Amino acid sequence: MKGTLYFPVNDGIHGPALWSSDGTPAGTRLFRDFDAPVGSLTEARGLLFFTVGRTLWRTDGTTAGTLPLITEPSSPSPRSSLTVLGEFRSRLFFRMYTPEHGVELWASDGTPAGTRLYLDVNPGPPSSFPDELVETASGNLVFEAYVDKDLETHAVLEVSPTKAVEELFRVGGGGDTAVFQLIAVGDRVFFLVDETDGSPFLYVSDGTPDAATPLYYWDEVDTPFSFTAYAGNLYFTAVESDYPGAGVELWRSDGTPEGTGRLADIFPGQEGSYPRGLTVFEGLLYFSADDGVHGRELWRSDGTTAGTRLARDIRPGAEGSSPYGLTVASRKLYFAADDGTHGFEPWKVFQGRARLVEDIIPGPMGSAPGIYGAGSGESGVFTRAGSYLFFPTESAQLWSMLTGAYCPPSGTR
């Protein structure tokens, strides 16, 4: 926020606390300590929102501008904890319990008076438990919720800026059914529906009430993941359940049943290439994959089968460099990888070339960006704030680097 990184840390002295950094050691300091864990940091309206226990807070970066907005009352249901859903229409949206309305959709403009109930899907005390909020190109909000007081019926709802509500899809099954992986691609919304614990359908809605279209059914195989909007289509990772022996590969859907299927068979056979970290950068779709020859490496696609190919063999041989944490910042694609010499270190794609950014810890172990704390995994490794890109390392250190820095660094490739 405003060129400063805010992050929660318990340094063993202050307890749960919010810290800030301008990208320099001298400018990294304790911002405020609290008596409960800090979480759900989300920027909206030029403010930073976060939770402390059951209370929603905001800050503008000053002591006077740091204040609590609302506290969720105690609830008899363990599912009712205050949950931030994201920033939409320059407001923070979240779900929260109150005795009068149950767990419903709330919004905040950053003031106590402007933090209020947004939509009571199930009027009165019954809860709707809204979740997976996304925004279409037209500015409509789409989310999943229960639409009956007995929590037996799921629905995908669309809400216009004037709060007109349309039901796009409805399914029963209560807690045995899941509606998840909502993603907006233009004005269409794709989502998965699993009524049988492991066999999901892929649906798409163009906004027409009660007219969502089923696209594909996966029967007791790996659940599709890494849903990503690119070039007007949906891209994701999945396996063909109709063909025993097929592996997990890169898929594409144009919103029709006949246009939904595998885009490229990168690693033919049962093992599959398991594409991960799908990220759109400079008109291409980047991801990591294992083709069975080069190991897990950086790949890219222009959305066609012929245009899906290895971007760079960073670590020649079958072991691969195992790229992860793909993040776009300052017209560059950052990620961590191990070239076999420097260990896991930060890399970036700049002007179409993948290069080592810096050998932070010399030797084959490397600094391992994102391994420490919440940053580990396919996302959340690198965070942009102002002119700096921040990342934690395996040694529990916070590092920053200027996103405009020249690469490759002196003495490296």
Short mmCIF file of all heavy atoms in Angstrom, two decimals, residues 197-243:
data_model
loop_
_atom_site.label_atom_id
_atom_site.label_comp_id
_atom_site.label_asym_id
_atom_site.label_seq_id
_atom_site.Cartn_x
_atom_site.Cartn_y
_atom_site.Cartn_z
N ASP A 197 -18.56 -36.17 -4.18
CA ASP A 197 -17.29 -36.27 -3.47
C ASP A 197 -16.18 -36.82 -4.35
O ASP A 197 -15.64 -37.91 -4.13
CB ASP A 197 -17.44 -37.15 -2.21
CG ASP A 197 -16.21 -37.06 -1.31
OD1 ASP A 197 -15.46 -36.07 -1.44
OD2 ASP A 197 -16.02 -37.97 -0.50
N GLY A 198 -15.81 -36.05 -5.36
CA GLY A 198 -14.67 -36.41 -6.18
C GLY A 198 -14.96 -36.56 -7.66
O GLY A 198 -14.08 -36.96 -8.42
N SER A 199 -16.17 -36.21 -8.08
CA SER A 199 -16.53 -36.32 -9.50
C SER A 199 -17.21 -35.03 -9.95
O SER A 199 -18.44 -34.95 -10.04
CB SER A 199 -17.44 -37.52 -9.74
OG SER A 199 -16.80 -38.72 -9.38
N PRO A 200 -16.45 -33.97 -10.21
CA PRO A 200 -17.05 -32.66 -10.50
C PRO A 200 -17.46 -32.48 -11.96
O PRO A 200 -16.89 -33.07 -12.87
CB PRO A 200 -15.93 -31.68 -10.14
CG PRO A 200 -14.68 -32.45 -10.42
CD PRO A 200 -14.99 -33.88 -10.08
N PHE A 201 -18.46 -31.63 -12.16
CA PHE A 201 -18.85 -31.10 -13.46
C PHE A 201 -18.28 -29.70 -13.61
O PHE A 201 -18.26 -28.92 -12.66
CB PHE A 201 -20.37 -31.00 -13.57
CG PHE A 201 -21.05 -32.18 -14.20
CD1 PHE A 201 -21.75 -33.08 -13.42
CD2 PHE A 201 -21.01 -32.38 -15.57
CE1 PHE A 201 -22.41 -34.16 -14.00
CE2 PHE A 201 -21.66 -33.46 -16.16
CZ PHE A 201 -22.35 -34.35 -15.37
N LEU A 202 -17.84 -29.35 -14.82
CA LEU A 202 -17.49 -27.98 -15.15
C LEU A 202 -18.69 -27.33 -15.82
O LEU A 202 -19.24 -27.87 -16.78
CB LEU A 202 -16.29 -27.93 -16.10
CG LEU A 202 -15.88 -26.55 -16.60
CD1 LEU A 202 -15.38 -25.67 -15.45
CD2 LEU A 202 -14.80 -26.66 -17.69
N TYR A 203 -19.12 -26.17 -15.26
CA TYR A 203 -20.24 -25.41 -15.82
C TYR A 203 -19.75 -24.03 -16.26
O TYR A 203 -18.73 -23.53 -15.79
CB TYR A 203 -21.33 -25.21 -14.76
CG TYR A 203 -22.25 -26.38 -14.54
CD1 TYR A 203 -21.88 -27.44 -13.72
CD2 TYR A 203 -23.51 -26.43 -15.15
CE1 TYR A 203 -22.73 -28.51 -13.50
CE2 TYR A 203 -24.38 -27.49 -14.93
CZ TYR A 203 -23.98 -28.54 -14.12
OH TYR A 203 -24.83 -29.59 -13.90
N VAL A 204 -20.55 -23.41 -17.13
CA VAL A 204 -20.32 -22.02 -17.51
C VAL A 204 -21.66 -21.32 -17.57
O VAL A 204 -22.68 -21.90 -17.95
CB VAL A 204 -19.59 -21.90 -18.87
CG1 VAL A 204 -20.45 -22.41 -20.02
CG2 VAL A 204 -19.15 -20.47 -19.12
N SER A 205 -21.66 -20.04 -17.15
CA SER A 205 -22.86 -19.20 -17.25
C SER A 205 -22.51 -17.92 -17.98
O SER A 205 -21.46 -17.31 -17.71
CB SER A 205 -23.40 -18.87 -15.86
OG SER A 205 -24.43 -17.90 -15.94
N ASP A 206 -23.38 -17.51 -18.90
CA ASP A 206 -23.18 -16.23 -19.60
C ASP A 206 -24.00 -15.12 -18.97
O ASP A 206 -24.10 -14.03 -19.53
CB ASP A 206 -23.54 -16.37 -21.08
CG ASP A 206 -25.01 -16.72 -21.31
OD1 ASP A 206 -25.78 -16.81 -20.33
OD2 ASP A 206 -25.40 -16.89 -22.48
N GLY A 207 -24.58 -15.37 -17.79
CA GLY A 207 -25.38 -14.38 -17.10
C GLY A 207 -26.87 -14.56 -17.26
O GLY A 207 -27.66 -13.88 -16.61
N THR A 208 -27.27 -15.50 -18.13
CA THR A 208 -28.70 -15.79 -18.30
C THR A 208 -29.19 -16.57 -17.09
O THR A 208 -28.60 -17.59 -16.72
CB THR A 208 -28.95 -16.62 -19.57
OG1 THR A 208 -28.42 -15.91 -20.69
CG2 THR A 208 -30.43 -16.85 -19.77
N PRO A 209 -30.26 -16.12 -16.42
CA PRO A 209 -30.74 -16.81 -15.21
C PRO A 209 -31.08 -18.27 -15.48
O PRO A 209 -31.68 -18.61 -16.50
CB PRO A 209 -31.98 -16.00 -14.82
CG PRO A 209 -31.77 -14.65 -15.41
CD PRO A 209 -31.03 -14.88 -16.69
N ASP A 210 -30.66 -19.13 -14.57
CA ASP A 210 -31.01 -20.56 -14.58
C ASP A 210 -30.65 -21.24 -15.90
O ASP A 210 -31.37 -22.13 -16.36
CB ASP A 210 -32.50 -20.75 -14.29
CG ASP A 210 -32.90 -20.15 -12.95
OD1 ASP A 210 -32.19 -20.39 -11.97
OD2 ASP A 210 -33.92 -19.43 -12.91
N ALA A 211 -29.57 -20.84 -16.52
CA ALA A 211 -29.22 -21.41 -17.83
C ALA A 211 -27.74 -21.78 -17.93
O ALA A 211 -27.18 -21.79 -19.02
CB ALA A 211 -29.59 -20.43 -18.94
N ALA A 212 -27.11 -22.13 -16.81
CA ALA A 212 -25.71 -22.55 -16.85
C ALA A 212 -25.58 -23.84 -17.64
O ALA A 212 -26.42 -24.73 -17.57
CB ALA A 212 -25.18 -22.73 -15.43
N THR A 213 -24.49 -23.93 -18.40
CA THR A 213 -24.28 -25.07 -19.31
C THR A 213 -23.21 -26.00 -18.76
O THR A 213 -22.10 -25.57 -18.44
CB THR A 213 -23.83 -24.56 -20.69
OG1 THR A 213 -24.81 -23.67 -21.22
CG2 THR A 213 -23.62 -25.72 -21.65
N PRO A 214 -23.50 -27.33 -18.65
CA PRO A 214 -22.45 -28.28 -18.28
C PRO A 214 -21.50 -28.51 -19.45
O PRO A 214 -21.94 -28.66 -20.59
CB PRO A 214 -23.24 -29.55 -17.93
CG PRO A 214 -24.50 -29.45 -18.71
CD PRO A 214 -24.81 -27.98 -18.82
N LEU A 215 -20.20 -28.52 -19.16
CA LEU A 215 -19.19 -28.63 -20.21
C LEU A 215 -18.44 -29.96 -20.20
O LEU A 215 -18.14 -30.50 -21.25
CB LEU A 215 -18.18 -27.48 -20.09
CG LEU A 215 -18.75 -26.07 -20.18
CD1 LEU A 215 -17.64 -25.06 -19.91
CD2 LEU A 215 -19.38 -25.84 -21.54
N TYR A 216 -18.12 -30.46 -19.00
CA TYR A 216 -17.33 -31.69 -18.91
C TYR A 216 -17.52 -32.31 -17.53
O TYR A 216 -17.72 -31.60 -16.54
CB TYR A 216 -15.84 -31.41 -19.15
CG TYR A 216 -15.02 -32.64 -19.44
CD1 TYR A 216 -14.85 -33.09 -20.75
CD2 TYR A 216 -14.42 -33.36 -18.41
CE1 TYR A 216 -14.09 -34.23 -21.02
CE2 TYR A 216 -13.67 -34.49 -18.68
CZ TYR A 216 -13.52 -34.93 -19.98
OH TYR A 216 -12.78 -36.06 -20.25
N TYR A 217 -17.44 -33.65 -17.47
CA TYR A 217 -17.60 -34.37 -16.22
C TYR A 217 -16.36 -35.22 -15.96
O TYR A 217 -15.92 -35.97 -16.84
CB TYR A 217 -18.83 -35.29 -16.31
CG TYR A 217 -19.03 -36.21 -15.13
CD1 TYR A 217 -19.32 -35.70 -13.86
CD2 TYR A 217 -18.93 -37.59 -15.29
CE1 TYR A 217 -19.51 -36.55 -12.79
CE2 TYR A 217 -19.12 -38.45 -14.22
CZ TYR A 217 -19.41 -37.92 -12.97
OH TYR A 217 -19.60 -38.77 -11.90
N TRP A 218 -15.78 -35.07 -14.76
CA TRP A 218 -14.62 -35.87 -14.37
C TRP A 218 -15.08 -36.93 -13.37
O TRP A 218 -15.59 -36.60 -12.30
CB TRP A 218 -13.55 -34.98 -13.74
CG TRP A 218 -12.82 -34.15 -14.73
CD1 TRP A 218 -11.70 -34.49 -15.42
CD2 TRP A 218 -13.16 -32.82 -15.15
NE1 TRP A 218 -11.31 -33.46 -16.25
CE2 TRP A 218 -12.19 -32.42 -16.09
CE3 TRP A 218 -14.17 -31.92 -14.81
CZ2 TRP A 218 -12.21 -31.18 -16.72
CZ3 TRP A 218 -14.21 -30.69 -15.42
CH2 TRP A 218 -13.23 -30.32 -16.37
N ASP A 219 -14.88 -38.18 -13.70
CA ASP A 219 -15.37 -39.28 -12.89
C ASP A 219 -14.25 -39.88 -12.04
O ASP A 219 -13.42 -40.66 -12.54
CB ASP A 219 -15.99 -40.35 -13.78
CG ASP A 219 -16.67 -41.46 -13.00
OD1 ASP A 219 -16.83 -41.30 -11.77
OD2 ASP A 219 -17.03 -42.48 -13.60
N GLU A 220 -14.19 -39.46 -10.77
CA GLU A 220 -13.26 -40.02 -9.79
C GLU A 220 -11.81 -39.96 -10.25
O GLU A 220 -11.07 -40.95 -10.19
CB GLU A 220 -13.66 -41.45 -9.43
CG GLU A 220 -15.02 -41.55 -8.75
CD GLU A 220 -15.36 -42.96 -8.32
OE1 GLU A 220 -14.63 -43.89 -8.70
OE2 GLU A 220 -16.37 -43.12 -7.62
N VAL A 221 -11.41 -38.80 -10.75
CA VAL A 221 -10.02 -38.54 -11.10
C VAL A 221 -9.60 -37.25 -10.40
O VAL A 221 -10.38 -36.64 -9.68
CB VAL A 221 -9.82 -38.43 -12.63
CG1 VAL A 221 -10.11 -39.76 -13.30
CG2 VAL A 221 -10.70 -37.33 -13.21
N ASP A 222 -8.37 -36.81 -10.62
CA ASP A 222 -7.89 -35.58 -9.99
C ASP A 222 -8.81 -34.40 -10.33
O ASP A 222 -9.19 -34.21 -11.49
CB ASP A 222 -6.48 -35.24 -10.46
CG ASP A 222 -5.44 -36.21 -9.89
OD1 ASP A 222 -5.84 -37.20 -9.25
OD2 ASP A 222 -4.25 -35.96 -10.09
N THR A 223 -9.16 -33.61 -9.32
CA THR A 223 -10.00 -32.44 -9.54
C THR A 223 -9.23 -31.38 -10.33
O THR A 223 -8.07 -31.09 -10.01
CB THR A 223 -10.45 -31.85 -8.20
OG1 THR A 223 -11.22 -32.83 -7.50
CG2 THR A 223 -11.30 -30.60 -8.39
N PRO A 224 -9.81 -30.80 -11.37
CA PRO A 224 -9.13 -29.74 -12.12
C PRO A 224 -8.72 -28.58 -11.22
O PRO A 224 -9.40 -28.27 -10.24
CB PRO A 224 -10.19 -29.30 -13.14
CG PRO A 224 -11.09 -30.47 -13.27
CD PRO A 224 -11.14 -31.11 -11.92
N PHE A 225 -7.61 -27.93 -11.55
CA PHE A 225 -7.12 -26.82 -10.73
C PHE A 225 -6.40 -25.80 -11.61
O PHE A 225 -6.33 -25.96 -12.83
CB PHE A 225 -6.22 -27.32 -9.60
CG PHE A 225 -4.98 -28.05 -10.05
CD1 PHE A 225 -3.77 -27.38 -10.16
CD2 PHE A 225 -5.02 -29.41 -10.34
CE1 PHE A 225 -2.62 -28.05 -10.55
CE2 PHE A 225 -3.87 -30.09 -10.74
CZ PHE A 225 -2.67 -29.41 -10.84
N SER A 226 -5.89 -24.74 -10.98
CA SER A 226 -5.18 -23.65 -11.66
C SER A 226 -6.05 -22.97 -12.71
O SER A 226 -5.59 -22.66 -13.82
CB SER A 226 -3.87 -24.15 -12.30
OG SER A 226 -2.91 -24.45 -11.33
N PHE A 227 -7.31 -22.69 -12.40
CA PHE A 227 -8.19 -21.98 -13.34
C PHE A 227 -7.63 -20.59 -13.62
O PHE A 227 -7.37 -19.81 -12.70
CB PHE A 227 -9.60 -21.86 -12.75
CG PHE A 227 -10.44 -23.11 -12.89
CD1 PHE A 227 -9.85 -24.35 -13.03
CD2 PHE A 227 -11.81 -23.03 -12.90
CE1 PHE A 227 -10.61 -25.50 -13.16
CE2 PHE A 227 -12.59 -24.17 -13.04
CZ PHE A 227 -11.99 -25.40 -13.17
N THR A 228 -7.46 -20.28 -14.92
CA THR A 228 -6.85 -19.02 -15.33
C THR A 228 -7.53 -18.48 -16.58
O THR A 228 -7.72 -19.22 -17.54
CB THR A 228 -5.34 -19.22 -15.62
OG1 THR A 228 -4.71 -19.81 -14.49
CG2 THR A 228 -4.67 -17.90 -15.96
N ALA A 229 -7.91 -17.21 -16.56
CA ALA A 229 -8.50 -16.57 -17.73
C ALA A 229 -7.38 -16.05 -18.62
O ALA A 229 -6.48 -15.34 -18.17
CB ALA A 229 -9.40 -15.42 -17.31
N TYR A 230 -7.45 -16.41 -19.92
CA TYR A 230 -6.42 -15.97 -20.87
C TYR A 230 -7.03 -15.92 -22.26
O TYR A 230 -7.64 -16.89 -22.72
CB TYR A 230 -5.22 -16.94 -20.82
CG TYR A 230 -4.25 -16.79 -21.98
CD1 TYR A 230 -3.59 -15.60 -22.21
CD2 TYR A 230 -3.99 -17.86 -22.83
CE1 TYR A 230 -2.69 -15.46 -23.26
CE2 TYR A 230 -3.11 -17.74 -23.89
CZ TYR A 230 -2.46 -16.54 -24.11
OH TYR A 230 -1.59 -16.40 -25.15
N ALA A 231 -6.88 -14.79 -22.93
CA ALA A 231 -7.30 -14.61 -24.32
C ALA A 231 -8.76 -15.00 -24.53
O ALA A 231 -9.11 -15.60 -25.55
CB ALA A 231 -6.39 -15.41 -25.25
N GLY A 232 -9.61 -14.68 -23.56
CA GLY A 232 -11.04 -14.92 -23.70
C GLY A 232 -11.50 -16.33 -23.44
O GLY A 232 -12.69 -16.65 -23.61
N ASN A 233 -10.58 -17.20 -23.02
CA ASN A 233 -10.91 -18.58 -22.73
C ASN A 233 -10.45 -18.95 -21.33
O ASN A 233 -9.68 -18.21 -20.68
CB ASN A 233 -10.25 -19.53 -23.74
CG ASN A 233 -10.79 -19.35 -25.14
OD1 ASN A 233 -11.99 -19.24 -25.35
ND2 ASN A 233 -9.90 -19.31 -26.12
N LEU A 234 -10.90 -20.12 -20.85
CA LEU A 234 -10.47 -20.65 -19.57
C LEU A 234 -9.38 -21.69 -19.81
O LEU A 234 -9.53 -22.60 -20.63
CB LEU A 234 -11.65 -21.30 -18.84
CG LEU A 234 -11.31 -22.04 -17.55
CD1 LEU A 234 -10.87 -21.04 -16.48
CD2 LEU A 234 -12.49 -22.87 -17.07
N TYR A 235 -8.27 -21.57 -19.06
CA TYR A 235 -7.19 -22.55 -19.10
C TYR A 235 -7.03 -23.13 -17.71
O TYR A 235 -7.18 -22.43 -16.70
CB TYR A 235 -5.88 -21.90 -19.57
CG TYR A 235 -5.93 -21.51 -21.04
CD1 TYR A 235 -6.60 -20.35 -21.45
CD2 TYR A 235 -5.35 -22.32 -22.00
CE1 TYR A 235 -6.68 -20.02 -22.78
CE2 TYR A 235 -5.41 -21.98 -23.35
CZ TYR A 235 -6.09 -20.83 -23.73
OH TYR A 235 -6.18 -20.51 -25.06
N PHE A 236 -6.72 -24.42 -17.66
CA PHE A 236 -6.61 -25.08 -16.36
C PHE A 236 -5.87 -26.40 -16.53
O PHE A 236 -5.51 -26.81 -17.64
CB PHE A 236 -7.99 -25.29 -15.74
CG PHE A 236 -8.96 -26.07 -16.61
CD1 PHE A 236 -9.20 -27.41 -16.38
CD2 PHE A 236 -9.67 -25.43 -17.63
CE1 PHE A 236 -10.12 -28.12 -17.16
CE2 PHE A 236 -10.59 -26.12 -18.42
CZ PHE A 236 -10.80 -27.47 -18.19
N THR A 237 -5.65 -27.05 -15.40
CA THR A 237 -4.95 -28.33 -15.37
C THR A 237 -5.94 -29.44 -15.05
O THR A 237 -6.69 -29.33 -14.08
CB THR A 237 -3.83 -28.30 -14.32
OG1 THR A 237 -2.88 -27.30 -14.69
CG2 THR A 237 -3.13 -29.62 -14.20
N ALA A 238 -5.96 -30.52 -15.85
CA ALA A 238 -6.95 -31.58 -15.67
C ALA A 238 -6.48 -32.86 -16.34
O ALA A 238 -5.47 -32.88 -17.05
CB ALA A 238 -8.31 -31.16 -16.22
N VAL A 239 -7.27 -33.92 -16.13
CA VAL A 239 -6.99 -35.22 -16.73
C VAL A 239 -8.24 -35.68 -17.47
O VAL A 239 -9.36 -35.34 -17.08
CB VAL A 239 -6.58 -36.25 -15.66
CG1 VAL A 239 -7.69 -36.48 -14.66
CG2 VAL A 239 -6.14 -37.57 -16.29
N GLU A 240 -8.07 -36.45 -18.54
CA GLU A 240 -9.21 -36.97 -19.29
C GLU A 240 -9.73 -38.23 -18.62
O GLU A 240 -9.08 -39.28 -18.68
CB GLU A 240 -8.80 -37.27 -20.73
CG GLU A 240 -8.50 -36.02 -21.55
CD GLU A 240 -8.19 -36.36 -23.00
OE1 GLU A 240 -9.13 -36.56 -23.77
OE2 GLU A 240 -7.00 -36.43 -23.32
N SER A 241 -10.90 -38.15 -17.99
CA SER A 241 -11.44 -39.32 -17.31
C SER A 241 -11.98 -40.35 -18.29
O SER A 241 -12.19 -41.50 -17.93
CB SER A 241 -12.55 -38.89 -16.34
OG SER A 241 -13.60 -38.24 -17.03
N ASP A 242 -12.22 -39.95 -19.54
CA ASP A 242 -12.74 -40.89 -20.54
C ASP A 242 -11.66 -41.80 -21.12
O ASP A 242 -11.97 -42.76 -21.83
CB ASP A 242 -13.39 -40.12 -21.71
CG ASP A 242 -14.60 -39.33 -21.26
OD1 ASP A 242 -15.19 -39.71 -20.24
OD2 ASP A 242 -14.95 -38.35 -21.93
N TYR A 243 -10.39 -41.50 -20.83
CA TYR A 243 -9.30 -42.26 -21.43
C TYR A 243 -8.37 -42.78 -20.33
O TYR A 243 -7.48 -42.07 -19.87
CB TYR A 243 -8.51 -41.39 -22.41
CG TYR A 243 -9.33 -40.93 -23.58
CD1 TYR A 243 -9.97 -39.69 -23.57
CD2 TYR A 243 -9.49 -41.75 -24.70
CE1 TYR A 243 -10.74 -39.26 -24.63
CE2 TYR A 243 -10.26 -41.33 -25.78
CZ TYR A 243 -10.88 -40.09 -25.74
OH TYR A 243 -11.65 -39.67 -26.80
#
